[in-house]
Amino acid sequence: MSSSKITNLPRVVVAALKGGAGKTFLTVGLVAALRKRGLNVGVFKKGPDYIDAGWLGMAAGRDCYNLDAFLFPEEIARESFLRKSAGSDVSIVEGNRGLFDGVDAKGSYSTAELAKLVNAPVILIVDATKITRTAAAMVLGCKLLDPDLRIEGVILNRVAGTRHETVLREAIESAAHVPVLGSVAKLPLENFPQRHLGLLPLYEHPQAAEFVDQAAEIVERAVDLEKVLAICQSAEHLEIPDSSALDQAAAVESKPLLRIGILKDSAFQFYYPENLEALRNAGADLIFLSALVEKDLPELDALYIGGGFPETHAEALARNDVFKNSLRSAVENGLPVYAECGGLMYLSRNLLIDRHSYPMVGVFPVDSVLERNPQGHGYIQVEVQEANPFYPEGTVLKGHEFHYSYVTGLDRPGASYAFRVVRGHGMDGHRDGICCGNALGTYVHVHALGQPEWARCMIQKARAYRQRK
Protein backbone atom coordinates (compact mmCIF):
# COMPACT_ATOMS: atom_id res chain seq x y z
CA MET A 1 0.00 0.00 0.00
CA SER A 2 1.38 3.42 -0.95
CA SER A 3 1.77 6.10 1.67
CA SER A 4 2.30 9.86 1.82
CA LYS A 5 4.55 11.70 4.26
CA ILE A 6 3.31 14.27 6.75
CA THR A 7 6.25 16.66 6.78
CA ASN A 8 5.35 19.41 9.22
CA LEU A 9 3.91 18.02 12.44
CA PRO A 10 5.66 19.44 15.53
CA ARG A 11 4.67 17.31 18.49
CA VAL A 12 5.65 16.11 21.95
CA VAL A 13 4.47 13.67 24.60
CA VAL A 14 4.38 14.98 28.18
CA ALA A 15 5.01 12.09 30.57
CA ALA A 16 5.91 11.59 34.23
CA LEU A 17 7.67 9.11 36.49
CA LYS A 18 4.41 8.28 38.26
CA GLY A 19 0.78 9.24 38.56
CA GLY A 20 0.07 12.27 40.73
CA ALA A 21 3.23 14.10 39.69
CA GLY A 22 1.34 17.17 38.50
CA LYS A 23 1.43 16.19 34.85
CA THR A 24 -2.09 17.30 33.95
CA PHE A 25 -1.79 20.70 35.63
CA LEU A 26 1.50 21.44 33.86
CA THR A 27 0.27 20.14 30.50
CA VAL A 28 -2.86 22.30 30.76
CA GLY A 29 -0.63 25.27 31.57
CA LEU A 30 1.70 24.47 28.69
CA VAL A 31 -1.15 24.19 26.19
CA ALA A 32 -2.79 27.40 27.40
CA ALA A 33 0.54 29.30 27.36
CA LEU A 34 1.24 28.24 23.78
CA ARG A 35 -2.29 29.18 22.76
CA LYS A 36 -1.78 32.65 24.28
CA ARG A 37 1.14 32.99 21.86
CA GLY A 38 -1.31 32.57 19.01
CA LEU A 39 -0.51 28.94 18.25
CA ASN A 40 -3.15 26.44 17.20
CA VAL A 41 -2.49 23.55 19.61
CA GLY A 42 -3.77 20.03 18.94
CA VAL A 43 -4.35 18.16 22.20
CA PHE A 44 -4.52 14.45 22.99
CA LYS A 45 -4.79 12.33 26.12
CA LYS A 46 -3.24 8.90 26.37
CA GLY A 47 -5.61 6.30 27.74
CA PRO A 48 -9.33 6.18 28.55
CA ASP A 49 -9.68 9.49 30.33
CA TYR A 50 -12.49 12.05 30.22
CA ILE A 51 -11.57 14.51 32.98
CA ASP A 52 -8.03 15.39 31.91
CA ALA A 53 -9.21 15.51 28.30
CA GLY A 54 -11.84 18.06 29.27
CA TRP A 55 -9.26 20.37 30.83
CA LEU A 56 -6.88 19.99 27.90
CA GLY A 57 -9.68 20.77 25.49
CA MET A 58 -10.59 23.92 27.40
CA ALA A 59 -6.95 25.05 27.44
CA ALA A 60 -6.65 24.50 23.69
CA GLY A 61 -10.09 25.82 22.76
CA ARG A 62 -10.85 22.63 20.83
CA ASP A 63 -11.70 18.98 21.42
CA CYS A 64 -9.10 16.75 23.04
CA TYR A 65 -8.91 13.26 21.55
CA ASN A 66 -7.91 10.04 23.29
CA LEU A 67 -5.17 7.74 22.05
CA ASP A 68 -5.20 4.18 23.34
CA ALA A 69 -3.73 1.16 21.57
CA PHE A 70 -5.67 -1.22 23.84
CA LEU A 71 -9.07 0.23 22.96
CA PHE A 72 -8.33 0.42 19.24
CA PRO A 73 -5.61 -0.90 16.90
CA GLU A 74 -2.26 0.86 16.74
CA GLU A 75 -2.69 1.90 13.13
CA ILE A 76 -6.03 3.52 13.98
CA ALA A 77 -4.51 5.37 16.96
CA ARG A 78 -1.63 6.62 14.81
CA GLU A 79 -3.88 7.68 11.97
CA SER A 80 -6.34 9.40 14.30
CA PHE A 81 -3.45 11.37 15.79
CA LEU A 82 -2.37 12.49 12.35
CA ARG A 83 -5.86 13.38 11.21
CA LYS A 84 -6.72 15.36 14.33
CA SER A 85 -3.35 17.13 14.24
CA ALA A 86 -3.92 18.43 10.71
CA GLY A 87 -3.77 22.21 10.66
CA SER A 88 -2.21 22.47 14.13
CA ASP A 89 0.95 24.45 14.73
CA VAL A 90 1.93 21.95 17.41
CA SER A 91 0.39 18.84 18.96
CA ILE A 92 0.75 17.88 22.61
CA VAL A 93 -0.07 14.45 24.02
CA GLU A 94 -0.46 14.05 27.77
CA GLY A 95 0.53 10.59 28.96
CA ASN A 96 -0.96 8.73 31.90
CA ARG A 97 0.49 7.11 35.01
CA GLY A 98 4.25 6.58 34.88
CA LEU A 99 6.15 6.64 31.59
CA PHE A 100 6.52 2.85 31.30
CA ASP A 101 3.43 1.77 33.23
CA GLY A 102 1.22 -0.49 31.13
CA VAL A 103 -0.84 -3.61 31.55
CA ASP A 104 2.08 -5.98 32.14
CA ALA A 105 5.76 -6.18 33.08
CA LYS A 106 6.73 -5.24 29.52
CA GLY A 107 4.84 -1.98 29.76
CA SER A 108 2.41 -2.84 26.98
CA TYR A 109 0.11 0.09 26.05
CA SER A 110 2.22 2.49 28.15
CA THR A 111 2.90 6.14 27.46
CA ALA A 112 6.39 5.17 26.27
CA GLU A 113 4.91 2.81 23.67
CA LEU A 114 2.51 5.50 22.50
CA ALA A 115 5.36 8.02 22.13
CA LYS A 116 7.18 5.57 19.86
CA LEU A 117 3.98 4.83 17.95
CA VAL A 118 3.60 8.50 16.99
CA ASN A 119 7.39 8.96 16.82
CA ALA A 120 7.35 11.87 19.24
CA PRO A 121 9.99 13.20 21.64
CA VAL A 122 9.18 13.11 25.36
CA ILE A 123 9.26 15.77 28.05
CA LEU A 124 9.38 14.20 31.49
CA ILE A 125 7.70 15.74 34.55
CA VAL A 126 9.71 14.97 37.70
CA ASP A 127 8.07 15.35 41.10
CA ALA A 128 11.00 16.69 43.12
CA THR A 129 9.43 16.24 46.54
CA LYS A 130 12.17 15.27 49.01
CA ILE A 131 14.72 14.17 46.38
CA THR A 132 17.81 15.65 44.70
CA ARG A 133 20.40 13.48 42.88
CA THR A 134 18.02 10.51 42.97
CA ALA A 135 15.98 12.38 40.37
CA ALA A 136 18.95 12.14 38.01
CA ALA A 137 19.11 8.38 38.58
CA MET A 138 15.44 8.03 37.67
CA VAL A 139 15.74 10.11 34.50
CA LEU A 140 18.88 8.21 33.48
CA GLY A 141 17.12 4.93 34.22
CA CYS A 142 14.28 5.87 31.89
CA LYS A 143 16.77 6.59 29.12
CA LEU A 144 18.59 3.30 29.63
CA LEU A 145 15.45 1.18 29.96
CA ASP A 146 14.42 2.05 26.40
CA PRO A 147 17.13 3.67 24.26
CA ASP A 148 14.65 3.99 21.36
CA LEU A 149 12.69 6.53 23.37
CA ARG A 150 13.68 10.17 22.87
CA ILE A 151 13.60 11.85 26.30
CA GLU A 152 14.50 15.40 25.31
CA GLY A 153 13.67 17.48 28.36
CA VAL A 154 12.66 17.56 32.03
CA ILE A 155 10.34 19.89 33.92
CA LEU A 156 10.78 19.87 37.68
CA ASN A 157 7.65 20.12 39.82
CA ARG A 158 7.11 20.82 43.52
CA VAL A 159 10.56 22.26 44.00
CA ALA A 160 11.27 23.51 47.53
CA GLY A 161 13.43 26.52 46.66
CA THR A 162 16.33 27.96 44.66
CA ARG A 163 19.00 25.73 46.18
CA HIS A 164 16.85 22.64 45.66
CA GLU A 165 16.37 23.58 42.01
CA THR A 166 20.09 24.20 41.48
CA VAL A 167 21.10 20.79 42.84
CA LEU A 168 18.39 19.01 40.83
CA ARG A 169 19.28 20.80 37.61
CA GLU A 170 23.02 20.12 37.92
CA ALA A 171 22.48 16.47 38.84
CA ILE A 172 20.07 15.71 35.99
CA GLU A 173 21.94 17.57 33.29
CA SER A 174 25.38 16.21 34.25
CA ALA A 175 24.39 12.59 34.94
CA ALA A 176 21.46 11.99 32.59
CA HIS A 177 22.43 14.54 29.91
CA VAL A 178 18.84 15.78 29.60
CA PRO A 179 18.19 19.53 29.74
CA VAL A 180 15.95 20.89 32.49
CA LEU A 181 13.39 23.12 30.78
CA GLY A 182 11.82 24.61 33.87
CA SER A 183 11.14 24.42 37.57
CA VAL A 184 7.78 24.86 39.29
CA ALA A 185 7.55 25.53 43.01
CA LYS A 186 5.22 23.74 45.40
CA LEU A 187 1.69 25.06 45.02
CA PRO A 188 -1.16 25.11 47.58
CA LEU A 189 -3.47 22.22 46.77
CA GLU A 190 -6.58 24.17 47.72
CA ASN A 191 -6.16 26.18 44.52
CA PHE A 192 -6.52 23.00 42.46
CA PRO A 193 -9.48 20.93 43.70
CA GLN A 194 -9.13 17.20 43.05
CA ARG A 195 -11.33 14.12 43.11
CA HIS A 196 -10.45 10.43 42.90
CA LEU A 197 -7.35 10.14 40.67
CA GLY A 198 -6.99 13.69 39.36
CA LEU A 199 -8.46 17.12 38.89
CA LEU A 200 -12.05 18.00 39.63
CA PRO A 201 -14.12 17.63 36.43
CA LEU A 202 -14.24 20.72 34.26
CA TYR A 203 -18.00 21.21 34.58
CA GLU A 204 -17.83 21.15 38.39
CA HIS A 205 -14.85 23.43 38.93
CA PRO A 206 -16.08 26.73 40.42
CA GLN A 207 -13.60 28.82 38.42
CA ALA A 208 -12.51 26.73 35.45
CA ALA A 209 -11.36 29.57 33.19
CA GLU A 210 -9.37 31.19 36.01
CA PHE A 211 -7.74 27.82 36.77
CA VAL A 212 -6.54 27.49 33.16
CA ASP A 213 -5.28 31.08 33.11
CA GLN A 214 -3.41 30.56 36.36
CA ALA A 215 -1.82 27.35 35.06
CA ALA A 216 -0.70 29.23 31.93
CA GLU A 217 0.85 32.03 34.00
CA ILE A 218 2.78 29.57 36.16
CA VAL A 219 4.15 27.73 33.12
CA GLU A 220 5.05 31.00 31.36
CA ARG A 221 7.11 32.07 34.37
CA ALA A 222 8.69 28.73 35.14
CA VAL A 223 9.25 26.93 31.80
CA ASP A 224 11.36 27.87 28.78
CA LEU A 225 8.67 27.72 26.09
CA GLU A 226 11.17 28.32 23.28
CA LYS A 227 13.03 25.16 24.23
CA VAL A 228 9.74 23.26 24.45
CA LEU A 229 8.82 24.37 20.92
CA ALA A 230 12.28 23.43 19.66
CA ILE A 231 11.78 19.91 21.02
CA CYS A 232 8.37 19.72 19.32
CA GLN A 233 9.86 20.85 16.03
CA SER A 234 12.59 18.21 16.25
CA ALA A 235 10.02 15.42 15.78
CA GLU A 236 10.64 13.35 12.68
CA HIS A 237 8.28 12.67 9.77
CA LEU A 238 5.38 10.27 10.01
CA GLU A 239 3.64 8.31 7.28
CA ILE A 240 -0.07 7.74 6.78
CA PRO A 241 -1.72 5.29 4.34
CA ASP A 242 -3.46 6.86 1.35
CA SER A 243 -6.37 4.46 1.84
CA SER A 244 -7.84 4.42 5.29
CA ALA A 245 -10.42 2.69 7.45
CA LEU A 246 -11.20 6.09 8.96
CA ASP A 247 -12.28 7.36 5.53
CA GLN A 248 -14.76 4.52 5.26
CA ALA A 249 -16.08 5.09 8.77
CA ALA A 250 -16.70 8.76 8.05
CA ALA A 251 -19.13 8.18 5.19
CA VAL A 252 -22.38 9.97 6.06
CA GLU A 253 -25.60 8.18 5.24
CA SER A 254 -27.88 9.93 2.76
CA LYS A 255 -31.10 8.97 4.57
CA PRO A 256 -32.97 11.52 6.73
CA LEU A 257 -31.11 12.36 9.93
CA LEU A 258 -32.19 10.53 13.06
CA ARG A 259 -32.74 12.46 16.28
CA ILE A 260 -30.45 10.98 18.93
CA GLY A 261 -30.56 12.63 22.35
CA ILE A 262 -27.42 13.11 24.44
CA LEU A 263 -27.74 13.81 28.17
CA LYS A 264 -24.89 16.24 28.69
CA ASP A 265 -24.62 18.38 31.79
CA SER A 266 -22.56 18.49 34.98
CA ALA A 267 -24.04 15.12 36.04
CA PHE A 268 -23.38 13.34 32.71
CA GLN A 269 -20.28 14.70 31.02
CA PHE A 270 -18.16 11.73 29.92
CA TYR A 271 -18.29 11.38 26.14
CA TYR A 272 -15.46 10.69 23.72
CA PRO A 273 -15.60 13.27 20.89
CA GLU A 274 -15.10 10.40 18.43
CA ASN A 275 -18.27 8.70 19.70
CA LEU A 276 -20.36 11.77 19.02
CA GLU A 277 -18.65 12.24 15.65
CA ALA A 278 -19.35 8.60 14.77
CA LEU A 279 -23.06 9.09 15.43
CA ARG A 280 -23.13 12.22 13.29
CA ASN A 281 -21.21 10.51 10.51
CA ALA A 282 -23.59 7.56 10.61
CA GLY A 283 -26.62 9.79 10.16
CA ALA A 284 -27.59 11.33 13.51
CA ASP A 285 -28.73 14.80 14.47
CA LEU A 286 -27.53 15.09 18.08
CA ILE A 287 -29.97 16.72 20.50
CA PHE A 288 -28.21 17.77 23.72
CA LEU A 289 -30.33 17.63 26.88
CA SER A 290 -29.95 18.07 30.63
CA ALA A 291 -31.46 15.71 33.15
CA LEU A 292 -31.17 18.51 35.70
CA VAL A 293 -33.32 21.15 34.01
CA GLU A 294 -35.33 19.54 31.20
CA LYS A 295 -38.97 18.71 31.72
CA ASP A 296 -40.58 16.44 29.13
CA LEU A 297 -38.26 14.38 26.96
CA PRO A 298 -38.45 15.73 23.39
CA GLU A 299 -39.28 13.58 20.37
CA LEU A 300 -36.27 11.29 19.83
CA ASP A 301 -35.30 8.19 17.90
CA ALA A 302 -32.74 7.05 20.51
CA LEU A 303 -30.97 8.31 23.63
CA TYR A 304 -27.32 8.02 24.70
CA ILE A 305 -26.47 8.61 28.38
CA GLY A 306 -22.75 8.69 29.14
CA GLY A 307 -20.88 8.51 32.40
CA GLY A 308 -20.31 11.22 34.94
CA PHE A 309 -21.01 11.88 38.59
CA PRO A 310 -24.74 11.50 39.20
CA GLU A 311 -23.91 11.03 42.88
CA THR A 312 -22.87 14.69 43.20
CA HIS A 313 -26.23 15.73 41.73
CA ALA A 314 -28.38 13.04 43.34
CA GLU A 315 -30.87 15.44 44.96
CA ALA A 316 -31.40 17.49 41.80
CA LEU A 317 -31.79 14.38 39.64
CA ALA A 318 -34.22 12.84 42.13
CA ARG A 319 -36.32 16.02 42.28
CA ASN A 320 -36.86 16.27 38.53
CA ASP A 321 -39.82 13.88 38.52
CA VAL A 322 -41.32 15.24 35.32
CA PHE A 323 -38.23 14.36 33.28
CA LYS A 324 -37.78 10.99 34.99
CA ASN A 325 -41.39 10.02 34.32
CA SER A 326 -41.16 11.20 30.72
CA LEU A 327 -38.00 9.16 30.15
CA ARG A 328 -39.38 6.05 31.81
CA SER A 329 -42.56 6.30 29.72
CA ALA A 330 -40.49 6.64 26.54
CA VAL A 331 -38.49 3.52 27.40
CA GLU A 332 -41.72 1.62 28.10
CA ASN A 333 -42.87 2.66 24.62
CA GLY A 334 -39.72 1.24 23.04
CA LEU A 335 -37.25 4.16 22.90
CA PRO A 336 -33.71 2.74 22.41
CA VAL A 337 -31.44 3.90 25.23
CA TYR A 338 -27.72 3.20 25.60
CA ALA A 339 -26.52 4.04 29.13
CA GLU A 340 -22.89 3.88 30.31
CA CYS A 341 -21.87 3.85 33.99
CA GLY A 342 -23.44 7.06 35.33
CA GLY A 343 -26.25 6.53 32.84
CA LEU A 344 -26.76 3.03 34.24
CA MET A 345 -26.97 4.48 37.75
CA TYR A 346 -29.52 7.05 36.62
CA LEU A 347 -31.75 4.39 35.06
CA SER A 348 -31.68 2.23 38.20
CA ARG A 349 -34.49 2.36 40.79
CA ASN A 350 -32.58 4.16 43.54
CA LEU A 351 -29.17 5.64 44.13
CA LEU A 352 -27.95 4.83 47.65
CA ILE A 353 -25.35 7.16 49.18
CA ASP A 354 -24.32 6.98 52.83
CA ARG A 355 -27.65 5.45 53.89
CA HIS A 356 -29.62 8.04 51.92
CA SER A 357 -31.80 6.80 49.08
CA TYR A 358 -32.50 8.95 46.02
CA PRO A 359 -35.16 7.73 43.58
CA MET A 360 -33.89 7.53 40.01
CA VAL A 361 -35.71 6.71 36.76
CA GLY A 362 -36.52 3.09 37.59
CA VAL A 363 -36.02 1.50 34.17
CA PHE A 364 -33.77 -1.26 35.54
CA PRO A 365 -34.99 -3.29 38.57
CA VAL A 366 -31.76 -2.77 40.51
CA ASP A 367 -30.39 -0.19 42.96
CA SER A 368 -27.03 1.58 42.62
CA VAL A 369 -24.89 1.78 45.75
CA LEU A 370 -22.01 4.28 45.98
CA GLU A 371 -18.90 3.15 47.84
CA ARG A 372 -15.78 5.05 48.93
CA ASN A 373 -13.39 2.83 46.98
CA PRO A 374 -13.40 1.87 43.29
CA GLN A 375 -15.49 -1.19 42.51
CA GLY A 376 -14.07 -1.53 39.01
CA HIS A 377 -11.06 0.27 37.55
CA GLY A 378 -9.13 -0.41 34.36
CA TYR A 379 -9.54 -2.03 31.00
CA ILE A 380 -12.48 -4.37 30.59
CA GLN A 381 -13.43 -6.92 27.95
CA VAL A 382 -16.82 -8.56 27.63
CA GLU A 383 -18.42 -11.07 25.29
CA VAL A 384 -22.02 -10.59 24.18
CA GLN A 385 -23.77 -13.85 25.05
CA GLU A 386 -27.45 -12.97 25.29
CA ALA A 387 -30.01 -11.09 23.22
CA ASN A 388 -29.88 -7.32 23.71
CA PRO A 389 -31.03 -4.18 21.89
CA PHE A 390 -27.73 -3.26 20.24
CA TYR A 391 -25.05 -5.92 19.73
CA PRO A 392 -25.13 -9.26 17.88
CA GLU A 393 -24.39 -12.28 20.05
CA GLY A 394 -20.75 -13.29 19.86
CA THR A 395 -19.50 -9.69 19.68
CA VAL A 396 -16.42 -9.00 21.83
CA LEU A 397 -16.22 -5.50 23.30
CA LYS A 398 -13.10 -3.80 24.63
CA GLY A 399 -13.48 -0.78 26.85
CA HIS A 400 -12.65 0.59 30.24
CA GLU A 401 -14.47 0.89 33.57
CA PHE A 402 -14.02 3.26 36.48
CA HIS A 403 -16.87 3.18 38.96
CA TYR A 404 -17.28 3.61 42.68
CA SER A 405 -20.77 2.15 42.54
CA TYR A 406 -22.16 -1.34 42.28
CA VAL A 407 -25.68 -2.58 41.60
CA THR A 408 -27.79 -4.73 43.90
CA GLY A 409 -30.71 -6.94 42.99
CA LEU A 410 -29.11 -8.60 39.97
CA ASP A 411 -31.32 -11.65 40.53
CA ARG A 412 -34.59 -9.75 40.55
CA PRO A 413 -37.00 -10.64 37.73
CA GLY A 414 -37.62 -8.22 34.90
CA ALA A 415 -34.14 -7.81 33.44
CA SER A 416 -31.54 -9.87 31.60
CA TYR A 417 -27.74 -9.58 31.38
CA ALA A 418 -26.21 -9.73 27.92
CA PHE A 419 -22.47 -9.60 28.64
CA ARG A 420 -20.05 -12.14 30.09
CA VAL A 421 -17.06 -10.43 31.69
CA VAL A 422 -13.80 -11.79 30.25
CA ARG A 423 -11.50 -9.20 31.83
CA GLY A 424 -12.35 -6.65 34.52
CA HIS A 425 -15.19 -6.49 37.00
CA GLY A 426 -18.39 -5.25 35.37
CA MET A 427 -21.42 -5.58 37.64
CA ASP A 428 -20.30 -8.51 39.76
CA GLY A 429 -17.12 -9.91 38.23
CA HIS A 430 -19.10 -12.17 35.90
CA ARG A 431 -21.96 -10.23 34.32
CA ASP A 432 -22.67 -6.86 32.76
CA GLY A 433 -25.00 -5.33 30.21
CA ILE A 434 -28.38 -5.19 31.94
CA CYS A 435 -31.28 -5.06 29.45
CA CYS A 436 -34.88 -4.02 29.82
CA GLY A 437 -36.91 -3.47 26.67
CA ASN A 438 -34.78 -1.42 24.28
CA ALA A 439 -32.61 -0.03 27.08
CA LEU A 440 -29.13 -1.32 27.84
CA GLY A 441 -27.05 -0.26 30.86
CA THR A 442 -23.40 -1.12 31.30
CA TYR A 443 -20.27 -0.19 33.22
CA VAL A 444 -18.27 -0.62 29.99
CA HIS A 445 -17.22 2.61 28.28
CA VAL A 446 -16.57 1.83 24.61
CA HIS A 447 -14.64 3.96 22.13
CA ALA A 448 -16.05 4.31 18.62
CA LEU A 449 -12.64 3.90 16.97
CA GLY A 450 -12.25 0.52 18.63
CA GLN A 451 -15.89 -0.55 18.34
CA PRO A 452 -17.17 0.94 15.06
CA GLU A 453 -20.22 -1.34 15.26
CA TRP A 454 -21.39 0.68 18.28
CA ALA A 455 -22.51 3.68 16.20
CA ARG A 456 -23.93 1.45 13.46
CA CYS A 457 -26.02 -0.48 15.98
CA MET A 458 -27.26 2.76 17.56
CA ILE A 459 -28.34 4.07 14.16
CA GLN A 460 -29.99 0.79 13.14
CA LYS A 461 -31.97 0.63 16.36
CA ALA A 462 -32.97 4.29 16.09
CA ARG A 463 -34.14 3.83 12.49
CA ALA A 464 -36.16 0.76 13.40
CA TYR A 465 -37.82 2.69 16.22
CA ARG A 466 -38.67 5.60 13.92
CA GLN A 467 -40.15 3.26 11.33
CA ARG A 468 -42.24 1.51 13.98
CA LYS A 469 -43.56 4.86 15.18
Side-chain angles (χ1 to χ4, degrees):
M1 180 181 295
S2 62
S3 60
S4 57
K5 282 191 174 182
I6 304 298
T7 57
N8 185 22
L9 188 55
R11 60 197 183 276
V12 72
V13 172
V14 180
L17 295 173
K18 62 176 183 176
K23 179 173 70 279
T24 299
F25 171 72
L26 292 177
T27 307
V28 166
L30 179 60
V31 170
L34 294 177
R35 185 185 176 198
K36 286 173 65 176
R37 289 190 166 201
L39 297 178
N40 184 353
V41 186
V43 282
F44 302 84
K45 173 64 183 180
K46 188 269 175 188
D49 186 293
Y50 299 104
I51 297 175
D52 292 356
W55 284 106
L56 291 168
M58 183 175 190
R62 59 190 291 181
D63 282 336
C64 175
Y65 294 91
N66 296 76
L67 300 172
D68 193 300
F70 178 87
L71 296 182
F72 37 94
E74 287 187 350
E75 61 272 16
I76 296 294
R78 194 166 184 256
E79 185 177 346
S80 177
F81 173 73
L82 288 165
R83 296 287 182 105
K84 301 304 182 183
S85 293
S88 300
D89 297 311
V90 62
S91 290
I92 296 179
V93 182
E94 185 200 344
N96 74 338
R97 302 176 66 191
L99 177 61
F100 296 104
D101 298 333
V103 299
D104 53 28
K106 296 180 180 179
S108 301
Y109 311 117
S110 65
T111 297
E113 293 303 308
L114 177 63
K116 291 190 292 184
L117 179 65
V118 298
N119 200 13
V122 173
I123 292 175
L124 197 60
I125 306 296
V126 174
D127 181 353
T129 304
K130 297 182 180 180
I131 57 171
T132 52
R133 184 171 169 79
T134 302
M138 291 190 287
V139 175
L140 179 59
C142 289
K143 289 183 64 177
L144 296 176
L145 185 61
D146 189 347
D148 293 332
L149 195 65
R150 290 181 53 204
I151 301 176
E152 298 294 332
V154 165
I155 297 176
L156 303 172
N157 192 26
R158 298 169 185 153
V159 176
T162 302
R163 182 179 180 280
H164 190 201
E165 177 191 345
T166 300
V167 174
L168 285 162
R169 185 183 294 270
E170 290 180 359
I172 291 171
E173 292 185 342
S174 62
H177 303 291
V178 178
V180 174
L181 309 176
S183 173
V184 178
K186 292 180 180 179
L187 300 170
L189 291 178
E190 59 266 21
N191 291 346
F192 315 111
Q194 298 192 354
R195 177 188 297 151
H196 300 328
L197 301 181
L199 294 173
L200 193 71
L202 177 66
Y203 290 100
E204 297 182 49
H205 197 288
Q207 296 173 309
E210 290 85 345
F211 173 92
V212 172
D213 288 342
Q214 187 177 8
E217 291 172 3
I218 290 170
V219 168
E220 285 174 324
R221 291 196 304 266
V223 177
D224 190 329
L225 293 178
E226 294 300 329
K227 289 183 179 179
V228 170
L229 286 172
I231 290 172
C232 295
Q233 291 161 356
S234 73
E236 299 176 356
H237 296 328
L238 280 173
E239 294 182 353
I240 183 172
D242 289 332
S243 177
S244 163
L246 289 184
D247 288 327
Q248 301 171 6
V252 179
E253 294 193 5
S254 59
K255 299 178 181 179
L257 293 179
L258 297 160
R259 289 172 57 84
I260 294 185
I262 311 290
L263 284 194
K264 191 170 185 183
D265 50 31
S266 56
F268 306 103
Q269 52 188 279
F270 294 162
Y271 297 93
Y272 293 123
E274 295 93 332
N275 285 26
L276 302 183
E277 290 173 5
L279 290 176
R280 289 191 183 99
N281 291 337
D285 179 19
L286 302 186
I287 312 298
F288 291 95
L289 310 166
S290 170
L292 299 170
V293 300
E294 304 287 347
K295 295 305 179 183
D296 288 329
L297 190 74
E299 189 73 17
L300 299 173
D301 299 308
L303 177 65
Y304 176 27
I305 313 176
F309 293 108
E311 62 269 25
T312 64
H313 301 76
E315 289 188 10
L317 291 171
R319 281 198 306 267
N320 196 350
D321 288 320
V322 175
F323 186 75
K324 289 191 300 178
N325 294 337
S326 177
L327 174 52
R328 184 171 60 252
S329 177
V331 173
E332 291 170 351
N333 288 325
L335 178 71
V337 180
Y338 194 102
E340 293 178 334
C341 198
L344 161 68
M345 297 165 66
Y346 183 52
L347 294 187
S348 67
R349 297 189 314 171
N350 299 287
L351 175 53
L352 308 178
I353 306 174
D354 294 332
R355 298 183 180 179
H356 294 283
S357 180
Y358 302 91
M360 295 289 106
V361 179
V363 168
F364 301 128
V366 294
D367 296 326
S368 299
V369 183
L370 191 71
E371 291 287 351
R372 298 186 182 277
N373 297 313
Q375 303 300 296
H377 180 205
Y379 292 125
I380 184 171
Q381 185 171 333
V382 298
E383 180 185 2
V384 180
Q385 288 196 323
E386 303 291 342
N388 68 93
F390 296 99
Y391 297 108
E393 293 179 38
T395 302
V396 175
L397 303 174
K398 281 185 175 182
H400 85 279
E401 60 177 336
F402 184 27
H403 50 100
Y404 279 66
S405 71
Y406 66 91
V407 295
T408 63
L410 288 171
D411 296 322
R412 293 187 183 123
S416 60
Y417 302 90
F419 303 161
R420 178 180 70 89
V421 175
V422 178
R423 171 199 174 110
H425 186 269
M427 292 181 173
D428 62 357
H430 305 284
R431 292 173 292 178
D432 200 281
I434 185 172
C435 302
C436 199
N438 280 335
L440 182 146
T442 176
Y443 278 123
V444 181
H445 294 273
V446 297
H447 196 291
L449 292 186
Q451 306 291 161
E453 67 271 43
W454 171 80
R456 292 196 298 267
C457 292
M458 284 282 290
I459 292 295
Q460 289 169 2
K461 199 67 181 179
R463 179 161 291 118
Y465 178 67
R466 173 181 284 193
Q467 291 170 350
R468 184 176 70 81
K469 287 193 297 182

